[in-house]
Amino acid sequence: MQMRRLGKTGLSVSPIVFGGNVFGWTADEKTSFDILDAFFDAGLNTIDTADVYSAWVPGNKGGDSEEIIGKWLKKAKLSRDKAVIITKVGSDMGQGKTLKANYILKAVEDSLRRLQTDYIDLYLSHWPDADTPHEESLGAYAKLLEQGKIRSVGCSNYDAAQLQASFDAADKAGLPRYQALQPEYNLYERSSFEGPLADLCIKEDIGVITYFSLAAGFLSGKYRSKADTEGCAREGRVAQYLDDKGMRILAALDKISAETGARPAEISLAWLLRKKGVTAPIASATSLSQLESLVKSATLKLSDEAMALLDQAGA
């Protein structure tokens, strides 16, 4: 499997990053272990999670995904340097969203304990925090980098102005810059990344790992009407894509699927892998058959004609 350089982080990530938000939610511990075993057996190496996953599930407290990954790391007896672990800080774990330095320094210890590791490969600010100066958050990350508790630092959900402001603050204070970004980006939702944010990431050599890469499962093609979404875990989110634009995208995916034999989800991820500025998309699976499809997408090559058709459908 050909790994991809993640900006200036020094990390080499697989072309598909596994989304650990499903662990402890739609995938129980045993299923999660089986999926992670198969993911690494296929030559992929990167897992994305967050301290807050999956606090939204009744009975969960947050940290559930990290705990499952930590147990798997011990059980699999995988050499730690063979896995790239991404996690995030700053979401509401009962204290509200915050990137205060003292909170970051405490939260990283909790994540390390749950992950049963002594370092995190990429640590992300999950959300911008308008109440905390960039210098304060970046100062905390500088300490963690110096202590070896994290290997690199990035952010999620920042727009171009916020990302540029963080660069300016880092340069002025002599602090580490964010070196990776995790934006929402997929065939349906393109406006928040394409344009100024993508241009800035390319200019500054920022590694980009996209989330909601399959639009909460809509781009798998299995949701064609409101009736299809009833009772599914992501019902509310998927329903928003069931409009004319969504149907145009599904029609384009169906056409390319008929021509190539690839599934819509594989095509959607392959489209992201060819977009300028994107390092790798995040995608989840809750079964081994779904995982097999994700693995196929890592090597699927779309033609220029297929790319143009998809670009036009989602415009």
Side-chain angles (χ1 to χ4, degrees):
M1 188 68 67
Q2 186 68 41
M3 298 296 150
R4 291 187 158 205
R5 171 182 162 274
L6 186 63
K8 298 175 183 175
T9 63
L11 301 173
S12 292
V13 300
S14 48
I16 301 296
V17 173
F18 193 90
N21 62 318
V22 296
F23 298 151
W25 177 26
T26 50
D28 61 19
E29 185 174 296
K30 181 186 183 306
T31 301
S32 301
F33 284 6
D34 290 344
I35 288 171
L36 284 170
D37 285 342
F39 183 78
F40 278 79
D41 286 346
L44 302 166
N45 74 337
T46 311
I47 310 169
D48 174 83
T49 187
D51 57 4
V52 75
Y53 297 165
S54 45
W56 56 85
V57 179
N60 285 7
K61 59 189 181 303
D64 311 87
S65 173
E66 289 181 332
E67 286 181 352
I68 287 175
I69 293 167
K71 289 177 183 177
W72 175 80
L73 281 170
K74 289 297 183 186
K75 175 180 176 292
K77 295 183 172 57
L78 183 78
S79 174
R80 178 63 184 85
D81 63 352
K82 301 300 182 186
V84 176
I85 306 295
I86 303 167
T87 194
K88 312 177 196 73
V89 62
S91 281
D92 187 0
M93 294 278 284
Q95 77 297 325
K97 292 179 180 178
T98 182
L99 292 175
K100 295 290 186 189
N102 59 355
Y103 180 75
I104 290 172
L105 296 173
K106 175 186 178 299
V108 75
E109 299 296 341
D110 293 336
S111 286
L112 289 168
R113 173 179 49 78
R114 289 188 291 257
L115 289 165
Q116 299 190 51
T117 184
D118 55 3
Y119 69 91
I120 292 161
D121 294 282
L122 175 60
Y123 202 38
L124 301 178
S125 293
H126 205 159
W127 301 94
D129 177 7
D131 297 326
T132 303
H134 292 295
E135 294 87 346
E136 179 177 341
S137 305
L138 294 172
Y141 295 132
K143 289 180 182 177
L144 297 178
L145 287 164
E146 186 179 347
Q147 294 167 356
K149 293 179 180 179
I150 62 175
R151 292 181 62 192
S152 56
V153 62
C155 58
S156 181
N157 298 299
Y158 280 49
D159 62 24
Q162 290 164 334
L163 187 57
Q164 183 62 61
S166 77
F167 293 157
D168 294 343
D171 294 347
K172 185 175 181 180
L175 292 167
R177 281 182 167 206
Y178 291 130
Q179 297 173 321
L181 174 73
Q182 197 172 109
E184 178 179 0
Y185 186 44
N186 55 55
L187 264 170
Y188 188 101
E189 177 49 62
R190 291 165 54 180
S191 61
S192 60
F193 179 64
E194 291 181 0
L197 184 54
D199 293 344
L200 179 60
C201 289
I202 292 166
K203 175 176 174 283
E204 300 292 343
D205 193 17
I206 300 301
V208 175
I209 297 175
T210 63
Y211 77 88
F212 280 155
S213 306
L214 292 176
F218 172 73
L219 296 172
S220 69
K222 66 181 179 180
Y223 304 110
R224 307 272 174 160
S225 68
K226 188 153 180 29
D228 292 337
T229 70
E230 289 176 2
C232 80
R234 305 183 185 191
E235 178 179 351
R237 180 164 287 278
V238 173
Q240 68 181 305
Y241 304 118
L242 298 171
D243 57 11
D244 290 343
K245 178 180 174 180
M247 294 305 109
R248 287 198 308 272
I249 292 169
L250 290 184
L253 289 170
D254 288 343
K255 184 175 188 299
I256 297 167
S257 181
E259 293 169 352
T260 63
R263 296 178 181 178
E266 296 161 17
I267 297 164
S268 299
L269 295 174
W271 176 84
L272 281 167
L273 283 166
R274 276 201 60 183
K275 298 305 285 185
K276 192 173 182 183
V278 173
T279 306
I282 298 168
S284 301
T286 55
S287 68
L288 292 177
S289 62
Q290 287 179 2
L291 179 67
E292 183 181 346
S293 187
L294 296 189
V295 173
K296 287 180 181 177
S297 68
T299 54
L300 177 62
K301 305 297 183 187
L302 295 181
S303 67
D304 291 343
E305 292 77 15
M307 289 295 293
L309 181 64
L310 292 167
D311 285 343
Q312 183 178 12

